[in-house]
């Protein structure tokens, strides 16, 4: 092997600089080619790029000769990969280098990117080594080899943002990208097409999905894209998306890397990350890869938009509704043969073609076949005979799983049989992996928890590190597993943190071929390990990444059918994690699966089943499935009533849960009765300051507010807040919830300034403790916007705040969730008040339809939203329609809530105005007088709604020419408004201008 020159200035300085340089590279080295091209251009040398993969059927001399058709210098970008292009035998390359290239040596130059030995005949190219040197030194060596005089100003020709990154310098954020496959073959045209689609897309729409069958190579293609084009990005972030919880947790981890101030709640982190990527701050050149995302559900919540690029791999054609689709076919035959010959150099091209045909050019089974042939050095004829003669006893399928050729299943059987003889410990690892879910497998749990009760055939994994490493190396070499690039907590992995990735197709096959006498023991071992790995505190958000990692493996391991109390505790903790982290969809699915299994062997009123019910009902309510929660609670209460000696605490918890169900369902009086009884029982059983007692007291305040008894709600919340601060501390989640409730009481009582001051403090604390994007903080921010609107001093900021909160609520829950609908309703009211009637109409109709679908047409909240619909119609001039809707809403609210409820009084205020606008002035005055009387009785003389009713009555009386009484009512109302709200408050100014007052319905389920 000739010595590689360093490329110093003395070596080539005398050569004249070329007018043009053709940079020839394999696709694998595109980042280097791009960097070389830019550096040559910066020094005034015209260059062009030539991706080169000479067809095997063409003589190598002809392909090299074609390169010389370009004028100037041909620069070959060399590494050990370069000489496998084709692929061709080393002798063929040596011959052409010694002959054709040597004769044209003055036209060729080269750089070397590897520290491995190149072919001896490459000496003729006089390559300079760029391996392992810094950017400045690499540039100096490149220029010296080509005889180019450096320009002093070269480094300032391009802005920093336009510079191509030096290939040995990774992006600033490089997140868990699979290790680059040194055997990656072909796909150059597909990768180029993918890059062009992403680069050419409009800002905010640069998203592509690699679509294809399982095993077709989508993940490998995405990983190669990330490596090959890494110099185009400042952020490259990989998100494993086989499991929704893992996906959300992993995407949210980018918040930490971006330095965003958030808590640990996944939804909060996701929203912060999406916003940062949308703005392009701190980096606008980003690539996020979602690997294995087959369910498009949640795409609108997670998929980022902005100046960067998104890449999805999936089998689901539904991604065409969200992204561009790039179909991933099998290898073409040349790619198949090239891959096989690189991995198994002893086989010939015709033999490679025969193997490729047997496996249908599908990459995954080809990888396994190539690994087998390369590792065993077996002759192709013998290998194919084994594949064709092999039989699988447990299948008569004409094709393997996911449409794989049956030869693939047979070849895996051959491999596993060989490993049973040569490396039985690798089979142990495979069998254990088959008891986890496919995708990412935290295999290091075996070594992290040696105290776990492992079956005898697995105990070597704990005691023999060398055997453990050999077994994993063997499986990686045979392309059965791939090693993950980091541990669960990030950073370098020790054996106890080892994570591997098993493709779902491989998992399916391995599970079938290793199923046997040890499977039950191995599944038991896995669920025992999962229980050992349970951090034990799902309330602590620092543990949520671990729970997200454990969750996918509960069902495959049999944890859901386990009768081991420790395993059952871990299962319930995973469900608690779903509740606390707001992963409600996952929580509902998990709870249903647990209930289905536990019902077969647990007493319906056992402690475990009751805890499951409590968690499931809370998740259902959080998700908006109130009726389902109520039915489940009633079922459990019935069983408790039938029990011989029910536990009083179980009965208490059941009552508290049912009271919450009834409140959401609009049955406020019954909810209050149950809540009061439950609070008395909680105080008797637990004392005043236990957590359940505090929650029950807080819930009572909510239902009193729903009943319109605002002063009673305030008094209850004052007491609850004092007790919560004393027992739990000022920063506890329950304390913060109660403080939010108290601010809402103050606002509804008309104490707008006091409510605003308290809610501003609440939001500051919750942003600091929970993060700006946390669900509880979002709700607090929505309430703050209402406080500011009522207080009247922030007209410019409120609309933007409401729009922002609505957008973030939608990202968390979707448009149909009750919290999102509340934001839609409140924002529509604001828009109507400020003149955007078209958008207000669109939003209020959406809120009305959403609540009707969620709660039914007779629910008080659904009926109340009709009053807002009528206000939009009235403002649009559709007065008759508005009156009809308001009369119906008033009748409905009166029937369900009684005539003195503030919601009824507010609706009556609007109905009186509608009657007046439609010429029914006597009817309007009659209703306004009754409304004022009731408002004074219910809310007091100085409440804003009472004063609005007074102004409305004055307007009606003036229409009846009863001017003396009208003037007296109006003057008294103005004095009270000035005293309570201030002379410049919008309500006061509006009354002074004799504008008819109205009432907005704030849809809130409590």
């Amino acid at each position: 092997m000739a010595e590689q020159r360093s490329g110093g200035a003395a070596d080539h300085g005398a050569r004249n600089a070329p007018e043009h340089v053709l940079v020839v590279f394999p696709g694998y080295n595109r980042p280097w080619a791009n960097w070389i091209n830019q550096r040559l251009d910066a020094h005034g040398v015209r260059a062009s790029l030539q991706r080169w993969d000479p067809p095997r059927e063409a003589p190598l001399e002809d392909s090299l000769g074609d390169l010389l058709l370009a004028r100037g210098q041909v620069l070959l970008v060399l590494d050990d990969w370069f000489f496998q292009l084709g692929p061709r035998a080393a002798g063929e390359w040596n011959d052409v280098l010694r002959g054709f290239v040597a004769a044209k040596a003055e036209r060729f130059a080269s750089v070397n990117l590897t520290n491995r030995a190149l072919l001896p005949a490459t000496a003729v190219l006089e390559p300079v080594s760029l391996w392992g040197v810094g950017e400045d030194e690499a540039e100096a060596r490149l220029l010296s080899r080509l005889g180019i005089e450096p320009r002093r100003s070269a480094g300032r020709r391009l802005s920093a943002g336009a510079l191509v990154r030096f290939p040995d310098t990774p992006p600033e954020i490089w997140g868990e990208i699979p290790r680059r496959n040194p055997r990656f073959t072909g796909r150059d045209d597909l990768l180029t097409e993918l890059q062009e689609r992403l680069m050419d897309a409009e800002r905010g729409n640069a998203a592509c999905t690699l679509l294809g069958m399982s095993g077709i190579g989508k993940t490998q293609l995405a990983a190669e894209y990330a490596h090959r084009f890494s110099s185009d990005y400042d952020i490259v972030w990989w998100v494993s998306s086989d499991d929704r919880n893992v996906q959300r947790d992993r995407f949210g981890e980018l918040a930490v890397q971006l330095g965003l101030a958030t808590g640990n709640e996944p939804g909060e982190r996701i929203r912060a990350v999406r916003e940062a990527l949308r703005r392009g701050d701190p980096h606008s050149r980003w690539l996020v890869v979602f690997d294995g995302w087959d369910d498009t559900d949640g795409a609108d919540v997670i998929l980022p938009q902005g100046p960067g690029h998104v890449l999805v791999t999936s089998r689901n054609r539904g991604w065409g509704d969200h992204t561009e689709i790039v179909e991933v076919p099998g290898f073409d035959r040349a790619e198949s043969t090239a891959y096989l010959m690189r991995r198994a150099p002893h086989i010939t091209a015709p033999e490679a073609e025969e193997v490729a045909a047997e496996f249908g050019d599908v990459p995954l089974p080809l990888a396994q076949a190539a690994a087998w042939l390369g590792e065993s050095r077996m002759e192709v004829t013998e290998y194919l005979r084994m594949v064709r003669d092999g039989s699988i006893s447990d299948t008569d399928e004409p094709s393997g799983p996911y449409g794989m050729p049956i030869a693939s299943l047979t070849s895996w059987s051959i491999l596993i049989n060989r490993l049973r003889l040569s490396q039985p410990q690798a089979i142990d690892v495979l069998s254990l992996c088959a008891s986890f879910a496919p995708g990412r497998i935290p295999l290091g749990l075996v070594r992290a928890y040696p105290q776990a009760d492992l079956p005898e055939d697995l105990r070597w994994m704990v005691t023999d590190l060398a055997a453990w490493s050999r077994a994993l190396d063997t499986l990686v070499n045979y392309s059965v597993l791939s090693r993950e690039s980091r541990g669960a907590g990030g950073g370098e992995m020790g054996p106890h943190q080892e994570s591997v990735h098993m493709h779902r197709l491989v998992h399916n096959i391995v599970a079938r071929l290793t199923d046997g006498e040890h499977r039950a023991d191995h599944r038991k071992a896995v669920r025992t390990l999962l229980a050992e790995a349970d951090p034990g505190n799902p309330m602590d958000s620092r543990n949520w990444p671990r729970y997200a990692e454990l969750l996918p493996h509960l069902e495959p391991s049999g944890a859901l059918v386990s009768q081991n109390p420790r395993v059952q505790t871990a299962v319930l903790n995973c469900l608690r994690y779903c509740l606390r982290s707001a992963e409600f969809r996952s929580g509902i699915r998990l709870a249903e699966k647990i209930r289905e299994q536990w019902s077969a062997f647990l007493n319906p009123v056992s402690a475990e089943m009751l805890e499951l019910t409590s968690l499931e009902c809370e998740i259902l309510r959080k998700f908006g499935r109130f009726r389902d929660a109520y039915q489940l609670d009633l079922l459990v209460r019935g069983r408790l009533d039938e029990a011989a000696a029910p536990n009083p605490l179980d009965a208490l918890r059941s009552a508290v849960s049912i009271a919450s169900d009834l409140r959401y369902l609009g049955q406020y009086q019954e909810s209050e009765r149950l809540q009061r009884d439950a609070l008395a029982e909680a105080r008797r059983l637990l004392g005043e300051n236990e957590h359940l007692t505090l929650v029950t007291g807080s819930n009572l305040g909510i239902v009193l507010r729903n009943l319109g008894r605002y002063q009673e709600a305030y008094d209850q919340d004052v007491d609850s807040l004092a007790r919560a601060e004393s027992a739990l501390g000022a920063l506890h989640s329950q304390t913060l919830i109660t403080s939010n409730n108290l601010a809402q009481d103050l606002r509804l009582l008309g104490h707008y300034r006091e409510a605003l001051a308290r809610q501003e403090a609440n939001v500051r604390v919750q942003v600091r403790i929970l993060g700006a994007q946390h669900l509880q903080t979002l709700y607090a921010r929505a309430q703050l916007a209402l406080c500011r609107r009522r207080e009247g001093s922030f007209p410019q900021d409120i609309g933007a705040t409401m729009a922002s909160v609505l957008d973030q609520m939608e990202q968390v829950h979707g448009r149909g969730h009750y919290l999102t609908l509340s934001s839609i309703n409140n924002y529509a009211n604001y828009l109507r008040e400020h003149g955007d009637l078209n958008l207000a109409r669109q939003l209020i109709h959406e809120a009305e339809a959403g609540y009707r679908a969620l709660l039914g047409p007779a629910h008080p909240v659904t009926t109340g939203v009709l009053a807002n619909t009528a206000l939009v119609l009235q403002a649009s001039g559709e007065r008759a329609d508005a009156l009809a809707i308001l009369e119906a809403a008033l009748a409905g609210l009166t029937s369900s809530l009684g005539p003195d409820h503030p919601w009824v009084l507010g609706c009556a205020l609007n109905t009186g105005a509608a009657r007046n606008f439609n010429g029914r002035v006597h009817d309007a005055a009659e209703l306004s007088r009754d409304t004022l009387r009731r408002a004074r009785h219910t809310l007091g003389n100085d409440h804003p709604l009472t004063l609005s009713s007074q102004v409305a009555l004055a307007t009606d009386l003036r229409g009846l020419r009863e001017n003396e009484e009208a003037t007296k009512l109006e003057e008294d109302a103005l004095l009270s408004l000035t005293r309570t709200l201030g002379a410049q408050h919008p309500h006061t100014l509006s009354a002074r201008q004799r504008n008819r007052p109205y009432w907005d319905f704030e849809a809130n389920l409590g």
Side-chain angles (χ1 to χ4, degrees), residues 25 109 258 546 668:
F25 64 97
L258 292 172
R546 171 60 91 183
Y668 301 137

Side-chain angles (χ1 to χ4, degrees), residues 185-207:
T185 297
R187 305 289 201 177
D188 285 327
D189 291 337
L190 196 56
L191 286 163
T192 300
E193 177 191 354
L194 185 58
Q195 188 207 30
E196 289 173 351
R197 289 212 199 181
L198 290 172
M199 291 294 184
D200 294 345
E202 294 181 5
R203 177 189 170 105
N205 293 312

Side-chain angles (χ1 to χ4, degrees), residues 559-589:
L560 303 187
V561 300
S562 175
Q563 299 186 41
N564 183 321
R566 179 70 184 89
V567 175
Q568 291 175 349
T569 297
V571 168
L572 288 176
N573 278 341
C574 286
L575 189 58
R576 291 185 183 96
Y577 150 74
C578 292
L579 171 62
R580 300 307 170 196
S581 64
E583 296 294 339
F584 302 136
R585 288 183 178 87
S586 297
I588 289 170
R589 287 195 294 268

Side-chain angles (χ1 to χ4, degrees), residues 358-578:
E358 188 71 28
F359 290 96
D361 295 299
V362 179
L364 185 62
L366 276 177
Q368 191 271 317
W372 172 276
L373 291 166
E375 293 289 328
S376 68
R377 308 289 296 178
M378 179 180 284
E379 293 299 323
V380 168
T381 53
E382 175 63 13
Y383 176 70
L384 290 178
R385 183 194 65 76
M386 293 173 62
V387 170
R388 291 164 182 165
D389 293 348
S391 61
I392 308 300
S393 60
D394 62 346
T395 180
D396 294 319
E397 298 176 22
S399 63
Y402 303 100
M404 290 288 108
I406 197 66
S408 171
L409 195 60
T410 307
S411 67
W412 282 98
S413 179
I414 293 169
L415 171 62
I416 288 172
N417 286 333
R418 177 188 176 97
L419 290 175
R420 281 195 178 99
L421 297 174
S422 63
Q423 179 65 281
Q425 289 167 322
I427 296 296
D428 291 341
V429 174
L430 273 185
S431 180
L432 189 64
C433 287
S435 296
F436 287 90
R440 184 175 182 170
I441 298 173
L443 199 57
L445 294 179
V446 178
R447 298 189 60 80
Y449 300 100
Q451 71 273 24
D453 185 18
L454 296 177
E456 187 174 351
D457 64 307
L458 298 184
R459 289 174 188 165
W460 65 268
M461 296 181 181
V462 176
T463 59
D464 194 341
L465 178 58
W468 167 269
S469 299
R470 281 196 306 272
L472 287 181
D473 288 342
T474 297
L475 295 172
V476 169
N477 289 339
Y478 278 111
S479 299
V480 182
L481 302 175
S482 59
R483 278 193 170 96
E484 291 283 349
S485 58
R486 70 174 184 102
E492 293 298 318
M493 291 188 298
H496 65 289
Q497 297 172 301
E498 190 91 48
S499 287
V500 298
H501 190 278
M502 179 179 275
H503 192 283
R504 63 170 64 87
L505 172 60
V506 177
H507 185 276
N508 181 286
I509 293 172
V510 166
R512 296 171 65 181
L513 298 180
T514 61
D515 200 2
E517 59 185 73
H518 296 300
R519 177 54 50 81
D521 289 340
H522 289 184
R523 293 181 77 209
K524 181 180 178 182
V526 169
R527 56 183 178 262
T528 301
L529 290 167
L530 296 176
E532 291 290 340
D534 173 13
N537 185 8
M539 297 291 290
D540 188 340
S541 60
R542 292 171 296 182
N543 294 326
W544 290 350
R546 171 60 91 183
Y547 283 111
E549 184 178 47
L550 300 180
L551 192 60
H553 306 290
L554 295 179
E555 190 172 12
S557 69
L560 303 187
V561 300
S562 175
Q563 299 186 41
N564 183 321
R566 179 70 184 89
V567 175
Q568 291 175 349
T569 297
V571 168
L572 288 176
N573 278 341
C574 286
L575 189 58
R576 291 185 183 96
Y577 150 74
C578 292

